Amino acid sequence: MTRQRINIHQIAKLTALAIVLNMFEFFLPSPIYGVKPGIANIIILFAFVKFNFQSAVYISLIRVFVSSLLLGTFLTPSFFLSLFGAFISLLFLYFCKFLSKNFFSLFSFSILSALGHIIGQFIIVRIFIIPDNGIFYLLPIFLLFGFIFSLINAYVLTKVITSSN
Amino acid sequence: MFKLFKPGDLVVFIICFFSIILIFINFYRVPSGSFISIENNNQTKEYSLSSKSVIELEGITIEINSGRVRVVKSSCKNQYCIMQGWISKLNQSILCLPNLTKITIKSNDNNITHDSTAY
């Protein structure tokens, strides 16, 4: 696996793809409100693995802003949830940078960033939106779904990368 | 080339999976109570759950055995209270409306109660 230099065109292309996946995910029906597969994370992980951490940060943050503008949720609580989730997710990805590539693959990165996203959202919900400890009863449900979907995402991305090589 | 699954992934997988399971067990564990209160014809009586006894009231017989409670015999028509079987967890209850009886498991510890935001 070789890391390539990334230019602004590639970031723009990948961001557009991430926004499309985010919009698609928005229209997917969900049995539990708030449980989403997080397929836009596939693109961020792709950028992280193929290029570098910096490009993943760009794509993630631009995606959050642009998709909130398109969906009309800019500066609403759901926008801040999404933004802070993305921040913590990127923080977890930053620590993934120091993991050895011989022992850890996409599956680890995907699991850690998905769990980071959920933890970040719960922190902001607990502090600002629902200041009650009862909210943590939902935490294991969301963590379990995030865990399952992150495994599926990692599998899809591994297939994409192996077929593109 | 790109290998599908590397050994470090297994470690991350197992750690995350078991921590999620632990959080699940921690949040959804229902504590057991320490005594029961029986309301029968507007009178409330309390019994310890640790004792082993059979309580006979008006038209209804209640058995307490090793932390569990059940209705053994009842004079009512539908016998729903008997069909419910044993109860042992905090805040569970058995009702028998024809006999005006309510059996509830309670705890001395006031901290462990259900709140409205938990579901």
Side-chain angles (χ1 to χ4, degrees), chain B residues 40-77:
Chain B
N40 181 270
N41 290 329
N42 297 324
Q43 291 171 306
T44 306
K45 290 174 196 159
E46 289 179 350
Y47 297 90
S48 169
L49 257 179
S50 52
S51 65
K52 192 175 176 179
S53 58
V54 175
I55 304 153
E56 292 197 26
L57 299 168
E58 232 181 280
I60 193 162
T61 309
I62 295 153
E63 186 189 353
I64 305 174
N65 190 352
S66 57
R68 305 183 298 170
V69 194
R70 72 168 174 179
V71 176
V72 185
K73 206 188 284 175
S74 171
S75 64
C76 56
K77 184 177 162 237

PDB file of all heavy atoms in Angstrom, chain B residues 40-77:
ATOM      1  N   ASN B  40     -53.847  -5.207  50.737  1.00  0.00           N
ATOM      2  CA  ASN B  40     -55.006  -6.085  50.667  1.00  0.00           C
ATOM      3  C   ASN B  40     -56.147  -5.429  51.409  1.00  0.00           C
ATOM      4  O   ASN B  40     -56.035  -5.173  52.609  1.00  0.00           O
ATOM      5  CB  ASN B  40     -54.623  -7.443  51.289  1.00  0.00           C
ATOM      6  CG  ASN B  40     -55.773  -8.415  51.234  1.00  0.00           C
ATOM      7  OD1 ASN B  40     -56.566  -8.464  52.168  1.00  0.00           O
ATOM      8  ND2 ASN B  40     -55.872  -9.168  50.178  1.00  0.00           N
ATOM      9  N   ASN B  41     -57.224  -5.118  50.699  1.00  0.00           N
ATOM     10  CA  ASN B  41     -58.381  -4.447  51.303  1.00  0.00           C
ATOM     11  C   ASN B  41     -57.989  -3.193  52.080  1.00  0.00           C
ATOM     12  O   ASN B  41     -58.337  -3.026  53.249  1.00  0.00           O
ATOM     13  CB  ASN B  41     -59.123  -5.406  52.234  1.00  0.00           C
ATOM     14  CG  ASN B  41     -59.817  -6.492  51.455  1.00  0.00           C
ATOM     15  OD1 ASN B  41     -60.228  -6.265  50.324  1.00  0.00           O
ATOM     16  ND2 ASN B  41     -59.926  -7.664  52.028  1.00  0.00           N
ATOM     17  N   ASN B  42     -57.213  -2.330  51.421  1.00  0.00           N
ATOM     18  CA  ASN B  42     -56.775  -1.054  51.987  1.00  0.00           C
ATOM     19  C   ASN B  42     -55.840  -1.179  53.186  1.00  0.00           C
ATOM     20  O   ASN B  42     -55.588  -0.208  53.875  1.00  0.00           O
ATOM     21  CB  ASN B  42     -57.967  -0.168  52.369  1.00  0.00           C
ATOM     22  CG  ASN B  42     -58.781   0.199  51.145  1.00  0.00           C
ATOM     23  OD1 ASN B  42     -58.217   0.400  50.073  1.00  0.00           O
ATOM     24  ND2 ASN B  42     -60.073   0.275  51.294  1.00  0.00           N
ATOM     25  N   GLN B  43     -55.336  -2.355  53.434  1.00  0.00           N
ATOM     26  CA  GLN B  43     -54.323  -2.486  54.493  1.00  0.00           C
ATOM     27  C   GLN B  43     -52.997  -2.831  53.820  1.00  0.00           C
ATOM     28  O   GLN B  43     -52.953  -3.653  52.907  1.00  0.00           O
ATOM     29  CB  GLN B  43     -54.690  -3.621  55.448  1.00  0.00           C
ATOM     30  CG  GLN B  43     -55.920  -3.320  56.287  1.00  0.00           C
ATOM     31  CD  GLN B  43     -56.364  -4.537  57.048  1.00  0.00           C
ATOM     32  OE1 GLN B  43     -56.587  -5.596  56.464  1.00  0.00           O
ATOM     33  NE2 GLN B  43     -56.483  -4.401  58.361  1.00  0.00           N
ATOM     34  N   THR B  44     -51.923  -2.180  54.258  1.00  0.00           N
ATOM     35  CA  THR B  44     -50.608  -2.456  53.684  1.00  0.00           C
ATOM     36  C   THR B  44     -49.741  -3.167  54.717  1.00  0.00           C
ATOM     37  O   THR B  44     -49.600  -2.700  55.847  1.00  0.00           O
ATOM     38  CB  THR B  44     -49.924  -1.147  53.247  1.00  0.00           C
ATOM     39  OG1 THR B  44     -50.817  -0.456  52.383  1.00  0.00           O
ATOM     40  CG2 THR B  44     -48.632  -1.426  52.517  1.00  0.00           C
ATOM     41  N   LYS B  45     -49.194  -4.316  54.299  1.00  0.00           N
ATOM     42  CA  LYS B  45     -48.288  -5.051  55.181  1.00  0.00           C
ATOM     43  C   LYS B  45     -46.971  -5.260  54.451  1.00  0.00           C
ATOM     44  O   LYS B  45     -46.948  -5.368  53.227  1.00  0.00           O
ATOM     45  CB  LYS B  45     -48.890  -6.416  55.543  1.00  0.00           C
ATOM     46  CG  LYS B  45     -50.084  -6.325  56.459  1.00  0.00           C
ATOM     47  CD  LYS B  45     -50.697  -7.695  56.634  1.00  0.00           C
ATOM     48  CE  LYS B  45     -52.085  -7.575  57.206  1.00  0.00           C
ATOM     49  NZ  LYS B  45     -52.891  -8.772  56.945  1.00  0.00           N
ATOM     50  N   GLU B  46     -45.878  -5.324  55.205  1.00  0.00           N
ATOM     51  CA  GLU B  46     -44.580  -5.525  54.591  1.00  0.00           C
ATOM     52  C   GLU B  46     -43.939  -6.799  55.120  1.00  0.00           C
ATOM     53  O   GLU B  46     -44.017  -7.095  56.312  1.00  0.00           O
ATOM     54  CB  GLU B  46     -43.679  -4.314  54.862  1.00  0.00           C
ATOM     55  CG  GLU B  46     -44.144  -3.103  54.065  1.00  0.00           C
ATOM     56  CD  GLU B  46     -43.304  -1.868  54.306  1.00  0.00           C
ATOM     57  OE1 GLU B  46     -42.466  -1.892  55.232  1.00  0.00           O
ATOM     58  OE2 GLU B  46     -43.496  -0.888  53.571  1.00  0.00           O
ATOM     59  N   TYR B  47     -43.311  -7.523  54.206  1.00  0.00           N
ATOM     60  CA  TYR B  47     -42.644  -8.771  54.569  1.00  0.00           C
ATOM     61  C   TYR B  47     -41.240  -8.765  53.979  1.00  0.00           C
ATOM     62  O   TYR B  47     -41.017  -8.213  52.901  1.00  0.00           O
ATOM     63  CB  TYR B  47     -43.399  -9.980  54.024  1.00  0.00           C
ATOM     64  CG  TYR B  47     -44.794 -10.149  54.584  1.00  0.00           C
ATOM     65  CD1 TYR B  47     -45.887  -9.554  53.957  1.00  0.00           C
ATOM     66  CD2 TYR B  47     -45.006 -10.901  55.735  1.00  0.00           C
ATOM     67  CE1 TYR B  47     -47.154  -9.700  54.463  1.00  0.00           C
ATOM     68  CE2 TYR B  47     -46.283 -11.054  56.248  1.00  0.00           C
ATOM     69  CZ  TYR B  47     -47.352 -10.455  55.612  1.00  0.00           C
ATOM     70  OH  TYR B  47     -48.611 -10.591  56.105  1.00  0.00           O
ATOM     71  N   SER B  48     -40.319  -9.416  54.685  1.00  0.00           N
ATOM     72  CA  SER B  48     -38.965  -9.535  54.147  1.00  0.00           C
ATOM     73  C   SER B  48     -38.946 -10.579  53.040  1.00  0.00           C
ATOM     74  O   SER B  48     -39.671 -11.571  53.086  1.00  0.00           O
ATOM     75  CB  SER B  48     -38.008  -9.939  55.259  1.00  0.00           C
ATOM     76  OG  SER B  48     -36.783 -10.289  54.688  1.00  0.00           O
ATOM     77  N   LEU B  49     -38.108 -10.321  52.013  1.00  0.00           N
ATOM     78  CA  LEU B  49     -38.040 -11.265  50.896  1.00  0.00           C
ATOM     79  C   LEU B  49     -37.162 -12.466  51.216  1.00  0.00           C
ATOM     80  O   LEU B  49     -37.249 -13.493  50.561  1.00  0.00           O
ATOM     81  CB  LEU B  49     -37.478 -10.549  49.657  1.00  0.00           C
ATOM     82  CG  LEU B  49     -38.463 -10.148  48.569  1.00  0.00           C
ATOM     83  CD1 LEU B  49     -37.741  -9.445  47.466  1.00  0.00           C
ATOM     84  CD2 LEU B  49     -39.191 -11.354  48.004  1.00  0.00           C
ATOM     85  N   SER B  50     -36.257 -12.300  52.208  1.00  0.00           N
ATOM     86  CA  SER B  50     -35.312 -13.388  52.461  1.00  0.00           C
ATOM     87  C   SER B  50     -35.951 -14.527  53.251  1.00  0.00           C
ATOM     88  O   SER B  50     -35.447 -15.635  53.249  1.00  0.00           O
ATOM     89  CB  SER B  50     -34.095 -12.845  53.206  1.00  0.00           C
ATOM     90  OG  SER B  50     -34.521 -12.122  54.326  1.00  0.00           O
ATOM     91  N   SER B  51     -37.073 -14.248  53.885  1.00  0.00           N
ATOM     92  CA  SER B  51     -37.700 -15.316  54.677  1.00  0.00           C
ATOM     93  C   SER B  51     -38.414 -16.303  53.750  1.00  0.00           C
ATOM     94  O   SER B  51     -38.651 -16.038  52.576  1.00  0.00           O
ATOM     95  CB  SER B  51     -38.711 -14.703  55.642  1.00  0.00           C
ATOM     96  OG  SER B  51     -39.756 -14.109  54.914  1.00  0.00           O
ATOM     97  N   LYS B  52     -38.734 -17.438  54.306  1.00  0.00           N
ATOM     98  CA  LYS B  52     -39.444 -18.457  53.526  1.00  0.00           C
ATOM     99  C   LYS B  52     -40.776 -18.687  54.215  1.00  0.00           C
ATOM    100  O   LYS B  52     -40.821 -19.246  55.316  1.00  0.00           O
ATOM    101  CB  LYS B  52     -38.604 -19.740  53.513  1.00  0.00           C
ATOM    102  CG  LYS B  52     -39.076 -20.783  52.527  1.00  0.00           C
ATOM    103  CD  LYS B  52     -38.103 -21.941  52.509  1.00  0.00           C
ATOM    104  CE  LYS B  52     -38.625 -23.044  51.594  1.00  0.00           C
ATOM    105  NZ  LYS B  52     -37.679 -24.173  51.549  1.00  0.00           N
ATOM    106  N   SER B  53     -41.855 -18.194  53.602  1.00  0.00           N
ATOM    107  CA  SER B  53     -43.116 -18.283  54.313  1.00  0.00           C
ATOM    108  C   SER B  53     -44.294 -18.335  53.353  1.00  0.00           C
ATOM    109  O   SER B  53     -44.173 -17.985  52.185  1.00  0.00           O
ATOM    110  CB  SER B  53     -43.288 -17.087  55.260  1.00  0.00           C
ATOM    111  OG  SER B  53     -43.217 -15.906  54.509  1.00  0.00           O
ATOM    112  N   VAL B  54     -45.421 -18.759  53.874  1.00  0.00           N
ATOM    113  CA  VAL B  54     -46.668 -18.761  53.120  1.00  0.00           C
ATOM    114  C   VAL B  54     -47.638 -17.855  53.869  1.00  0.00           C
ATOM    115  O   VAL B  54     -47.886 -18.047  55.055  1.00  0.00           O
ATOM    116  CB  VAL B  54     -47.243 -20.179  52.987  1.00  0.00           C
ATOM    117  CG1 VAL B  54     -48.600 -20.147  52.305  1.00  0.00           C
ATOM    118  CG2 VAL B  54     -46.293 -21.071  52.216  1.00  0.00           C
ATOM    119  N   ILE B  55     -48.140 -16.822  53.189  1.00  0.00           N
ATOM    120  CA  ILE B  55     -49.011 -15.843  53.829  1.00  0.00           C
ATOM    121  C   ILE B  55     -50.430 -16.085  53.347  1.00  0.00           C
ATOM    122  O   ILE B  55     -50.680 -16.081  52.124  1.00  0.00           O
ATOM    123  CB  ILE B  55     -48.570 -14.407  53.475  1.00  0.00           C
ATOM    124  CG1 ILE B  55     -47.102 -14.192  53.853  1.00  0.00           C
ATOM    125  CG2 ILE B  55     -49.449 -13.383  54.148  1.00  0.00           C
ATOM    126  CD1 ILE B  55     -46.413 -13.154  53.023  1.00  0.00           C
ATOM    127  N   GLU B  56     -51.320 -16.293  54.251  1.00  0.00           N
ATOM    128  CA  GLU B  56     -52.716 -16.500  53.864  1.00  0.00           C
ATOM    129  C   GLU B  56     -53.519 -15.260  54.207  1.00  0.00           C
ATOM    130  O   GLU B  56     -53.559 -14.834  55.351  1.00  0.00           O
ATOM    131  CB  GLU B  56     -53.280 -17.733  54.568  1.00  0.00           C
ATOM    132  CG  GLU B  56     -52.635 -18.995  54.054  1.00  0.00           C
ATOM    133  CD  GLU B  56     -53.431 -20.244  54.397  1.00  0.00           C
ATOM    134  OE1 GLU B  56     -54.653 -20.125  54.575  1.00  0.00           O
ATOM    135  OE2 GLU B  56     -52.810 -21.311  54.494  1.00  0.00           O
ATOM    136  N   LEU B  57     -54.119 -14.677  53.173  1.00  0.00           N
ATOM    137  CA  LEU B  57     -54.970 -13.501  53.363  1.00  0.00           C
ATOM    138  C   LEU B  57     -56.383 -13.876  52.927  1.00  0.00           C
ATOM    139  O   LEU B  57     -56.644 -15.030  52.556  1.00  0.00           O
ATOM    140  CB  LEU B  57     -54.440 -12.330  52.540  1.00  0.00           C
ATOM    141  CG  LEU B  57     -53.031 -11.848  52.883  1.00  0.00           C
ATOM    142  CD1 LEU B  57     -52.530 -10.909  51.807  1.00  0.00           C
ATOM    143  CD2 LEU B  57     -53.008 -11.138  54.232  1.00  0.00           C
ATOM    144  N   GLU B  58     -57.238 -12.864  52.919  1.00  0.00           N
ATOM    145  CA  GLU B  58     -58.628 -13.086  52.517  1.00  0.00           C
ATOM    146  C   GLU B  58     -58.714 -13.518  51.054  1.00  0.00           C
ATOM    147  O   GLU B  58     -58.503 -12.728  50.136  1.00  0.00           O
ATOM    148  CB  GLU B  58     -59.376 -11.757  52.663  1.00  0.00           C
ATOM    149  CG  GLU B  58     -60.644 -11.835  53.468  1.00  0.00           C
ATOM    150  CD  GLU B  58     -61.300 -10.479  53.509  1.00  0.00           C
ATOM    151  OE1 GLU B  58     -60.855  -9.622  54.318  1.00  0.00           O
ATOM    152  OE2 GLU B  58     -62.215 -10.263  52.716  1.00  0.00           O
ATOM    153  N   GLY B  59     -58.980 -14.767  50.800  1.00  0.00           N
ATOM    154  CA  GLY B  59     -59.191 -15.248  49.434  1.00  0.00           C
ATOM    155  C   GLY B  59     -57.936 -15.457  48.623  1.00  0.00           C
ATOM    156  O   GLY B  59     -58.010 -15.827  47.455  1.00  0.00           O
ATOM    157  N   ILE B  60     -56.757 -15.169  49.175  1.00  0.00           N
ATOM    158  CA  ILE B  60     -55.523 -15.269  48.377  1.00  0.00           C
ATOM    159  C   ILE B  60     -54.392 -15.799  49.259  1.00  0.00           C
ATOM    160  O   ILE B  60     -54.313 -15.468  50.439  1.00  0.00           O
ATOM    161  CB  ILE B  60     -55.187 -13.891  47.742  1.00  0.00           C
ATOM    162  CG1 ILE B  60     -54.106 -14.015  46.660  1.00  0.00           C
ATOM    163  CG2 ILE B  60     -54.782 -12.874  48.774  1.00  0.00           C
ATOM    164  CD1 ILE B  60     -54.079 -12.819  45.750  1.00  0.00           C
ATOM    165  N   THR B  61     -53.568 -16.653  48.680  1.00  0.00           N
ATOM    166  CA  THR B  61     -52.435 -17.222  49.412  1.00  0.00           C
ATOM    167  C   THR B  61     -51.153 -16.901  48.669  1.00  0.00           C
ATOM    168  O   THR B  61     -51.050 -17.151  47.459  1.00  0.00           O
ATOM    169  CB  THR B  61     -52.593 -18.746  49.548  1.00  0.00           C
ATOM    170  OG1 THR B  61     -53.878 -19.021  50.070  1.00  0.00           O
ATOM    171  CG2 THR B  61     -51.538 -19.317  50.464  1.00  0.00           C
ATOM    172  N   ILE B  62     -50.179 -16.310  49.365  1.00  0.00           N
ATOM    173  CA  ILE B  62     -48.944 -15.822  48.752  1.00  0.00           C
ATOM    174  C   ILE B  62     -47.764 -16.588  49.324  1.00  0.00           C
ATOM    175  O   ILE B  62     -47.694 -16.803  50.545  1.00  0.00           O
ATOM    176  CB  ILE B  62     -48.786 -14.312  49.011  1.00  0.00           C
ATOM    177  CG1 ILE B  62     -49.912 -13.540  48.306  1.00  0.00           C
ATOM    178  CG2 ILE B  62     -47.453 -13.805  48.501  1.00  0.00           C
ATOM    179  CD1 ILE B  62     -50.241 -12.244  48.973  1.00  0.00           C
ATOM    180  N   GLU B  63     -46.851 -16.996  48.459  1.00  0.00           N
ATOM    181  CA  GLU B  63     -45.692 -17.737  48.920  1.00  0.00           C
ATOM    182  C   GLU B  63     -44.421 -16.925  48.673  1.00  0.00           C
ATOM    183  O   GLU B  63     -44.208 -16.414  47.574  1.00  0.00           O
ATOM    184  CB  GLU B  63     -45.593 -19.079  48.183  1.00  0.00           C
ATOM    185  CG  GLU B  63     -44.481 -19.955  48.717  1.00  0.00           C
ATOM    186  CD  GLU B  63     -44.214 -21.188  47.873  1.00  0.00           C
ATOM    187  OE1 GLU B  63     -44.999 -21.434  46.922  1.00  0.00           O
ATOM    188  OE2 GLU B  63     -43.230 -21.882  48.158  1.00  0.00           O
ATOM    189  N   ILE B  64     -43.569 -16.810  49.687  1.00  0.00           N
ATOM    190  CA  ILE B  64     -42.257 -16.179  49.542  1.00  0.00           C
ATOM    191  C   ILE B  64     -41.209 -17.265  49.700  1.00  0.00           C
ATOM    192  O   ILE B  64     -41.243 -18.021  50.672  1.00  0.00           O
ATOM    193  CB  ILE B  64     -42.023 -15.087  50.607  1.00  0.00           C
ATOM    194  CG1 ILE B  64     -43.152 -14.057  50.581  1.00  0.00           C
ATOM    195  CG2 ILE B  64     -40.693 -14.385  50.378  1.00  0.00           C
ATOM    196  CD1 ILE B  64     -43.061 -13.051  51.698  1.00  0.00           C
ATOM    197  N   ASN B  65     -40.294 -17.360  48.724  1.00  0.00           N
ATOM    198  CA  ASN B  65     -39.289 -18.413  48.789  1.00  0.00           C
ATOM    199  C   ASN B  65     -38.004 -17.922  48.135  1.00  0.00           C
ATOM    200  O   ASN B  65     -38.000 -17.588  46.954  1.00  0.00           O
ATOM    201  CB  ASN B  65     -39.817 -19.668  48.080  1.00  0.00           C
ATOM    202  CG  ASN B  65     -38.923 -20.859  48.323  1.00  0.00           C
ATOM    203  OD1 ASN B  65     -37.849 -20.733  48.888  1.00  0.00           O
ATOM    204  ND2 ASN B  65     -39.394 -22.022  47.910  1.00  0.00           N
ATOM    205  N   SER B  66     -36.938 -17.847  48.878  1.00  0.00           N
ATOM    206  CA  SER B  66     -35.589 -17.464  48.425  1.00  0.00           C
ATOM    207  C   SER B  66     -35.610 -16.260  47.462  1.00  0.00           C
ATOM    208  O   SER B  66     -35.170 -16.340  46.329  1.00  0.00           O
ATOM    209  CB  SER B  66     -34.862 -18.653  47.781  1.00  0.00           C
ATOM    210  OG  SER B  66     -35.602 -19.165  46.719  1.00  0.00           O
ATOM    211  N   GLY B  67     -36.136 -15.125  47.940  1.00  0.00           N
ATOM    212  CA  GLY B  67     -36.095 -13.888  47.172  1.00  0.00           C
ATOM    213  C   GLY B  67     -37.136 -13.759  46.085  1.00  0.00           C
ATOM    214  O   GLY B  67     -37.091 -12.821  45.307  1.00  0.00           O
ATOM    215  N   ARG B  68     -38.062 -14.718  45.994  1.00  0.00           N
ATOM    216  CA  ARG B  68     -39.093 -14.634  44.960  1.00  0.00           C
ATOM    217  C   ARG B  68     -40.480 -14.686  45.609  1.00  0.00           C
ATOM    218  O   ARG B  68     -40.640 -15.203  46.715  1.00  0.00           O
ATOM    219  CB  ARG B  68     -38.965 -15.805  43.981  1.00  0.00           C
ATOM    220  CG  ARG B  68     -37.604 -15.926  43.351  1.00  0.00           C
ATOM    221  CD  ARG B  68     -37.576 -17.059  42.355  1.00  0.00           C
ATOM    222  NE  ARG B  68     -37.837 -18.356  42.988  1.00  0.00           N
ATOM    223  CZ  ARG B  68     -38.061 -19.475  42.301  1.00  0.00           C
ATOM    224  NH1 ARG B  68     -38.068 -19.451  40.996  1.00  0.00           N
ATOM    225  NH2 ARG B  68     -38.285 -20.614  42.934  1.00  0.00           N
ATOM    226  N   VAL B  69     -41.457 -14.162  44.912  1.00  0.00           N
ATOM    227  CA  VAL B  69     -42.830 -14.155  45.411  1.00  0.00           C
ATOM    228  C   VAL B  69     -43.758 -14.701  44.345  1.00  0.00           C
ATOM    229  O   VAL B  69     -43.553 -14.461  43.158  1.00  0.00           O
ATOM    230  CB  VAL B  69     -43.309 -12.719  45.755  1.00  0.00           C
ATOM    231  CG1 VAL B  69     -44.569 -12.767  46.585  1.00  0.00           C
ATOM    232  CG2 VAL B  69     -42.245 -11.919  46.441  1.00  0.00           C
ATOM    233  N   ARG B  70     -44.782 -15.428  44.761  1.00  0.00           N
ATOM    234  CA  ARG B  70     -45.834 -15.806  43.812  1.00  0.00           C
ATOM    235  C   ARG B  70     -47.150 -15.972  44.565  1.00  0.00           C
ATOM    236  O   ARG B  70     -47.172 -16.051  45.800  1.00  0.00           O
ATOM    237  CB  ARG B  70     -45.481 -17.088  43.071  1.00  0.00           C
ATOM    238  CG  ARG B  70     -45.571 -18.334  43.932  1.00  0.00           C
ATOM    239  CD  ARG B  70     -45.504 -19.575  43.080  1.00  0.00           C
ATOM    240  NE  ARG B  70     -45.445 -20.752  43.970  1.00  0.00           N
ATOM    241  CZ  ARG B  70     -45.405 -21.992  43.530  1.00  0.00           C
ATOM    242  NH1 ARG B  70     -45.404 -22.232  42.238  1.00  0.00           N
ATOM    243  NH2 ARG B  70     -45.361 -23.001  44.372  1.00  0.00           N
ATOM    244  N   VAL B  71     -48.214 -16.022  43.790  1.00  0.00           N
ATOM    245  CA  VAL B  71     -49.524 -16.295  44.361  1.00  0.00           C
ATOM    246  C   VAL B  71     -49.795 -17.783  44.178  1.00  0.00           C
ATOM    247  O   VAL B  71     -49.679 -18.317  43.070  1.00  0.00           O
ATOM    248  CB  VAL B  71     -50.606 -15.456  43.653  1.00  0.00           C
ATOM    249  CG1 VAL B  71     -51.988 -15.811  44.178  1.00  0.00           C
ATOM    250  CG2 VAL B  71     -50.342 -13.984  43.844  1.00  0.00           C
ATOM    251  N   VAL B  72     -50.098 -18.459  45.271  1.00  0.00           N
ATOM    252  CA  VAL B  72     -50.295 -19.909  45.201  1.00  0.00           C
ATOM    253  C   VAL B  72     -51.758 -20.235  44.936  1.00  0.00           C
ATOM    254  O   VAL B  72     -52.080 -21.050  44.078  1.00  0.00           O
ATOM    255  CB  VAL B  72     -49.833 -20.591  46.502  1.00  0.00           C
ATOM    256  CG1 VAL B  72     -49.939 -22.092  46.368  1.00  0.00           C
ATOM    257  CG2 VAL B  72     -48.418 -20.195  46.824  1.00  0.00           C
ATOM    258  N   LYS B  73     -52.610 -19.572  45.692  1.00  0.00           N
ATOM    259  CA  LYS B  73     -54.032 -19.913  45.582  1.00  0.00           C
ATOM    260  C   LYS B  73     -54.842 -18.626  45.603  1.00  0.00           C
ATOM    261  O   LYS B  73     -54.509 -17.698  46.345  1.00  0.00           O
ATOM    262  CB  LYS B  73     -54.430 -20.787  46.777  1.00  0.00           C
ATOM    263  CG  LYS B  73     -55.612 -21.705  46.489  1.00  0.00           C
ATOM    264  CD  LYS B  73     -56.067 -22.383  47.748  1.00  0.00           C
ATOM    265  CE  LYS B  73     -55.166 -23.518  48.198  1.00  0.00           C
ATOM    266  NZ  LYS B  73     -55.592 -24.073  49.498  1.00  0.00           N
ATOM    267  N   SER B  74     -55.858 -18.573  44.778  1.00  0.00           N
ATOM    268  CA  SER B  74     -56.680 -17.378  44.747  1.00  0.00           C
ATOM    269  C   SER B  74     -58.117 -17.771  44.445  1.00  0.00           C
ATOM    270  O   SER B  74     -58.374 -18.733  43.726  1.00  0.00           O
ATOM    271  CB  SER B  74     -56.156 -16.416  43.684  1.00  0.00           C
ATOM    272  OG  SER B  74     -57.055 -15.363  43.510  1.00  0.00           O
ATOM    273  N   SER B  75     -59.026 -16.986  44.978  1.00  0.00           N
ATOM    274  CA  SER B  75     -60.434 -17.303  44.780  1.00  0.00           C
ATOM    275  C   SER B  75     -61.006 -16.639  43.538  1.00  0.00           C
ATOM    276  O   SER B  75     -62.181 -16.792  43.256  1.00  0.00           O
ATOM    277  CB  SER B  75     -61.229 -16.869  46.011  1.00  0.00           C
ATOM    278  OG  SER B  75     -61.140 -15.472  46.141  1.00  0.00           O
ATOM    279  N   CYS B  76     -60.172 -15.892  42.794  1.00  0.00           N
ATOM    280  CA  CYS B  76     -60.715 -15.128  41.667  1.00  0.00           C
ATOM    281  C   CYS B  76     -61.017 -16.034  40.475  1.00  0.00           C
ATOM    282  O   CYS B  76     -60.577 -17.182  40.410  1.00  0.00           O
ATOM    283  CB  CYS B  76     -59.750 -14.010  41.280  1.00  0.00           C
ATOM    284  SG  CYS B  76     -58.094 -14.544  40.900  1.00  0.00           S
ATOM    285  N   LYS B  77     -61.709 -15.477  39.486  1.00  0.00           N
ATOM    286  CA  LYS B  77     -62.221 -16.298  38.384  1.00  0.00           C
ATOM    287  C   LYS B  77     -61.134 -16.619  37.345  1.00  0.00           C
ATOM    288  O   LYS B  77     -60.945 -17.748  36.936  1.00  0.00           O
ATOM    289  CB  LYS B  77     -63.376 -15.551  37.719  1.00  0.00           C
ATOM    290  CG  LYS B  77     -64.066 -16.324  36.621  1.00  0.00           C
ATOM    291  CD  LYS B  77     -65.249 -15.541  36.078  1.00  0.00           C
ATOM    292  CE  LYS B  77     -65.678 -16.067  34.718  1.00  0.00           C
ATOM    293  NZ  LYS B  77     -65.659 -15.033  33.696  1.00  0.00           N
TER     294      LYS B  77
END
